[in-house]
């Protein structure tokens, strides 16, 4: 083994000698001296402030539009996952543990599990939740949301510093400052770290780049004591990262960089192996089963049944093309190509560093495996490459001019610093100017829907009542009221989500009521108990429709009108075959939708011109051909008129009057007959089954499922 590494070391020396001869160019030499250090500090502070400032300005805009972004004095949030971290913080504040929060999830299974657990020792809460709990004045949503939003500009600044430190570890501090601005403010990352994004993404990028920077510093250290110290710091940082975002795969990637740098720089495999083991022990990293990731599965099993994977309907899990990736990371295809080219040249100049930082550069390629949500990890690398090639080209051109005018073949230190500083400063300003700094995130849950959820806070006289809605509202409901939920953003890949889709799409309110009672009574474990076949499951639901069940509060919203495509893709599914079931005559296959029409009256009576086509509301014809099965008119979410046309066409025209606005939708007959449409848009609530207890149409309606 010793002979092998000695031979390998000799070979590496030869390669390095040839490489130095290749890259020994004056314009590739970095500046040095006190002025250079001062310039590094100046641009680093500017990059850090830019990231802080943009998020602060977003919050100021939110404050200027309280009707859109506040409920009373409570700021809202821009990600559905915010309720998870805030809900845990709330539970920590009230009980010193988040067991109560967990017990209210996946009702009734979460409650039953909490009651049967003998060891009530609280688990380790996410670091983000703990920080919000520590800094918030009290456990109210207002205090928690205010604290969570105020943290975001700070974490943005910390992320910028981490990016600078990462590239600074390779010697390229000024280029790192440009990467901190471009990568920190590009759309790929800004939309995941803007105000209201109370989620781990706000600091994931910072932790990730900091770990790689520490790995490079550990390898570059001139003596083993310093290398050991930096390795220990890296291990502790990794442990902190795990407490923040428990994804071991990210830690393994940084371990690769650490091992590589230690091995190549020290030429000592014992040091590389020993320090890497120390890093693993300190970090607490776990073995990862990549093949079991939900992101690469179309369905999952329960007994003999194959349930659809909800993630297949989530936009951030969809892959995008390379051109769109570069657009999101730089805002311009041209800038993206220059950045990629720059990274290739930098890799030739510094192959050891390039291999160490390789995972950062290729992370975006996971877009084609687990979706576009991960491309922001590579954005700073692209901006770094852009800064490197432009600054280096500037120094090369400057030297060429000197050689032509004065015959000098070297590059004066003052000129090197001046050219590097001026170009870097211009790039930093330019990266800020081309970034979407005016981007304002929307509230993930509109203020009116939050008000609806808050109204359920008064439900305190009923034991074991549950809030039922689409899974996106699960975390938010847990934060704003005390009711448990069937499913949420962390349990959406579960059979109850499929059952909620079936309840919303059911052609009769009776079937919807039966499904909701079944979920409230038996939950996910009940589904597993009757998972022999799809017929067995639904026969049991129908036969137990009148069995006693906890009270159910059923919330429907206008947001769900836009989500109906995803809901129908999930609900229109054959559990026996694990395949989508296309809806007869529906262009979208299994996905139903509300098609918005622009309609205006024409001279002929009972006719409308909708999107350039003539709808005859007496005959059901469109452009002279039988097309409509029926047409209805609603006012403030209640049907006031309707007509059925002869034949069995598959399309329904639904015209709505909301305040002073008139809206027309064209939809498939199955969607028109669905419980969601009947309850929410038509106000057809069978009082023997559903009692409307909250009505803020067109924003939200809440129904109480009547007991039998």
């Amino acid at each position: 083994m010793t002979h092998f590494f000695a031979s390998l070391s000799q070979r590496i020396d030869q390669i390095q000698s040839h490489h130095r001869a290749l890259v020994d160019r004056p314009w590739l030499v970095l500046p040095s001296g006190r002025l250079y250090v001062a310039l590094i500090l100046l641009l680093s502070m500017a990059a850090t402030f830019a990231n802080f400032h943009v998020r602060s300005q977003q919050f100021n805009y939110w404050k200027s539009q309280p009707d859109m972004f506040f409920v009373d004095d409570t700021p809202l949030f821009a990600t559905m996952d915010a309720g998870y971290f805030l809900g845990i913080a709330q539970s920590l504040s009230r009980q010193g543990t988040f067991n109560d929060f967990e017990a209210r999830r996946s009702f009734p299974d979460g409650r039953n599990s909490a009651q049967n657990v003998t060891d009530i020792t609280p688990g380790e809460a996410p670091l983000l939740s703990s920080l919000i709990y520590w800094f918030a004045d009290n456990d109210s949503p207002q205090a928690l949301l205010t604290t969570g939003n105020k943290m975001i500009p700070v974490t943005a600044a910390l992320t910028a510093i981490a990016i600078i430190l990462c590239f600074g570890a390779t010697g390229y501090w000024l280029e790192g400052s440009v990467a901190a601005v471009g990568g920190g403010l590009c759309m790929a990352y800004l939309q995941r770290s803007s105000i209201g994004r109370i989620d781990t993404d706000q600091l994931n990028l910072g932790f990730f780049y900091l770990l790689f920077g520490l790995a490079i510093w550990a390898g570059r250290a001139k003596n083993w004591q310093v290398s050991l110290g930096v390795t220990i710091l890296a291990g502790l940082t990794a442990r902190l990262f795990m407490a923040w975002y428990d994804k071991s795969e990210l830690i393994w990637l940084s371990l690769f960089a650490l091992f590589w740098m230690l091995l190549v720089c020290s030429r000592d495999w014992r040091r590389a192996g020993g320090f890497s083991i120390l890093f693993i022990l300190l970090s607490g990293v776990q073995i990862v089963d990549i093949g079991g990731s939900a992101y690469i599965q179309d369905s999952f099993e329960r007994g003999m049944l194959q349930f659809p994977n909800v993630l297949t309907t989530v936009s951030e899990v969809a892959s995008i093309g390379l051109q769109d990736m570069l657009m999101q990371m730089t805002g311009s295809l041209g800038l993206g190509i220059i950045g990629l080219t720059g990274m290739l040249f930098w890799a030739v100049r510094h192959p050891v560093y390039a291999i160490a930082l390789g995972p950062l550069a290729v992370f975006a390629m996971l877009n084609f495996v687990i979706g576009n949500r991960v491309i922001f990890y590579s954005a700073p690398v692209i901006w770094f490459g852009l800064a490197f090639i432009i600054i280096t080209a500037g120094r090369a051109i400057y030297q060429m001019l000197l050689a032509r005018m004065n015959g000098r073949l070297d590059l004066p230190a003052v000129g090197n610093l001046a050219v590097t500083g001026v170009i870097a400063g211009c790039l930093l300003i330019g990266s800020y100017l081309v970034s979407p700094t005016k981007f304002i995130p929307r509230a993930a849950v509109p203020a009116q829907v939050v008000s609806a959820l808050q109204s359920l806070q008064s439900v305190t006289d009923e034991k074991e009542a549950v809030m039922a809605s689409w899974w996106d509202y699960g975390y938010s409901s847990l934060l704003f009221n005390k009711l448990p939920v069937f499913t949420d953003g962390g349990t959406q890949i579960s059979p109850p989500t499929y059952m909620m889709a079936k309840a919303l799409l059911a052609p009769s309110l009776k079937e919807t009521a039966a499904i909701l009672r079944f979920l409230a009574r038996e939950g996910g474990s009940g589904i597993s108990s009757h998972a022999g076949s799809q017929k067995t499951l639904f026969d049991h639901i129908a036969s137990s429709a009148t069995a006693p069940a906890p009270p159910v509060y059923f919330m429907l919203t206008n947001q769900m009108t836009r989500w109906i495509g995803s809901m129908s893709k999930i609900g229109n599914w054959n559990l026996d075959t694990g395949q989508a079931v296309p809806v007869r005559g529906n262009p979208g296959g299994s996905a139903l939708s509300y098609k918005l029409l622009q309609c205006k009256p024409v001279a002929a009576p009972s006719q409308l011109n909708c999107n350039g086509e003539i709808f005859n509301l007496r005959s059901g014809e469109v452009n002279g051909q039988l097309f409509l099965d029926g047409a209805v008119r609603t006012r403030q979410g209640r049907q006031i008129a309707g007509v059925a046309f002869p034949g069995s066409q598959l399309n329904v025209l639904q015209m709505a009057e909301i305040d002073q606005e008139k809206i027309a939708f064209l939809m498939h007959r199955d969607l028109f007959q669905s419980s969601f449409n009947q309850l929410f848009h038509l106000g057809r609530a069978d009082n023997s089954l559903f009692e409307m207890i909250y009505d803020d149409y067109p924003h939200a309606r809440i129904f109480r499922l009547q007991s039998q």
Side-chain angles (χ1 to χ4, degrees), residues 95-342:
Q95 299 180 338
T97 169
F98 63 95
N99 292 346
D100 171 69
F101 176 82
E102 293 294 329
R104 290 186 292 141
R105 301 174 66 190
S106 302
F107 185 86
D109 300 293
R111 176 206 60 187
N112 296 337
S113 296
Q115 291 175 347
N116 296 330
V117 171
T118 56
D119 181 11
I120 60 173
T121 303
E124 186 174 349
L127 181 56
L128 176 56
S129 298
S130 298
L131 290 172
I132 295 172
Y133 157 57
W134 291 335
F135 290 119
D137 292 335
N138 52 62
D139 63 6
S140 67
Q142 187 274 335
L144 296 170
L145 278 160
T146 299
T147 300
N149 277 299
K150 286 183 176 179
M151 287 176 58
I152 291 173
V154 177
T155 56
L158 293 174
T159 296
I161 293 172
I163 293 171
I164 295 168
L165 290 174
C166 177
F167 293 113
T170 68
Y172 291 88
W173 294 92
L174 301 186
E175 291 84 350
S177 296
V178 176
V181 174
L185 297 180
C186 69
M187 185 56 72
Y189 184 58
L190 184 59
Q191 64 183 346
R192 303 191 69 84
S193 61
S194 291
I195 209 68
R197 294 288 302 199
I198 305 172
D199 193 358
T200 56
D201 278 344
Q202 62 181 293
L203 202 50
N204 285 350
L205 191 68
F207 270 119
F208 201 41
Y209 274 73
L210 179 58
L211 280 176
F212 277 85
L214 291 173
I216 292 174
W217 264 317
R220 290 187 61 183
K222 294 182 179 180
N223 58 69
W224 70 267
Q225 293 93 337
V226 175
S227 181
L228 175 61
V230 177
T231 299
I232 292 173
L233 180 59
L236 296 176
T237 301
R239 179 171 288 275
L240 194 62
F241 192 10
M242 290 284 288
W244 178 267
Y245 185 57
D246 189 15
K247 294 294 183 182
S248 292
E249 48 266 48
L250 300 181
I251 308 301
W252 286 112
L253 291 175
S254 61
L255 173 64
F256 160 78
L258 177 68
F259 178 80
W260 167 256
M261 288 299 301
L262 288 169
L263 181 62
V264 173
C265 294
S266 71
R267 313 287 179 85
D268 186 346
W269 65 271
R270 297 179 183 85
R271 181 189 299 185
F275 284 15
S276 296
I277 292 173
L278 177 62
F279 174 86
I280 292 173
L281 295 176
L282 289 173
S283 67
V285 68
Q286 304 292 323
I287 301 297
V288 180
D289 178 16
I290 298 177
S293 173
Y295 290 99
I296 59 177
Q297 298 176 352
D298 292 329
S299 62
F300 62 93
E301 295 182 0
R302 286 294 185 275
M304 301 299 294
L305 303 180
Q306 293 281 339
F307 287 88
N309 186 350
V310 178
L311 291 180
T312 59
T313 66
V314 178
S315 59
E316 67 179 28
V317 179
S319 299
I320 60 176
L322 180 60
Q323 179 175 339
D324 290 333
M325 286 172 54
L326 294 177
M327 288 290 293
Q328 285 203 28
M329 289 191 283
T330 64
S332 163
L333 179 60
L335 291 178
I337 293 174
I338 294 172
L340 284 174
T341 304

Side-chain angles (χ1 to χ4, degrees), residues 414-443:
V414 174
N416 187 355
L417 176 62
V419 171
T420 300
V422 169
I423 297 178
C426 292
L427 285 173
L428 190 144
I429 295 171
S431 63
Y432 179 85
L433 293 177
V434 302
S435 297
T437 55
K438 302 300 182 183
F439 169 72
I440 301 296
R442 296 184 301 176

Side-chain angles (χ1 to χ4, degrees), residues 23-37 39-40 164 166-177 220 346 349-350 353 384 387-393 395-396 411-421 424:
V23 300
D24 187 13
R25 303 290 186 271
W27 41 270
L28 287 174
V29 177
L30 292 171
S32 59
R34 293 182 179 179
L35 287 177
Y36 181 54
V37 173
L39 189 60
I40 289 172
I164 295 168
C166 177
F167 293 113
T170 68
Y172 291 88
W173 294 92
L174 301 186
E175 291 84 350
S177 296
R220 290 187 61 183
W346 184 77
R349 174 67 181 90
H350 297 287
Y353 294 155
F384 174 78
F388 170 79
I389 194 171
I390 293 178
I391 292 174
T392 303
R395 287 200 298 260
L411 189 62
V414 174
N416 187 355
L417 176 62
V419 171
T420 300

Side-chain angles (χ1 to χ4, degrees), residues 77 83 86-88 90-91 94 100-101 104-105 139-141 144-145 445 449-460 464-469 473-486 553-555 693 702:
F77 43 92
L86 295 167
I88 291 178
Q90 187 179 68
S91 187
R94 291 175 178 175
D100 171 69
F101 176 82
R104 290 186 292 141
R105 301 174 66 190
D139 63 6
S140 67
L144 296 170
L145 278 160
V445 179
V449 177
V450 170
S451 295
L453 291 171
Q454 286 180 328
S455 73
L456 295 175
Q457 182 67 29
S458 60
V459 181
T460 58
E464 296 183 341
V466 59
M467 197 287 293
S469 192
Y473 295 124
Y475 288 147
S476 301
S477 183
L478 293 172
L479 175 65
F480 288 105
N481 60 71
K482 298 178 181 179
L483 299 182
V485 296
F486 290 137
Y553 290 84
F554 192 32
M555 186 181 78
I693 64 166
I702 301 178

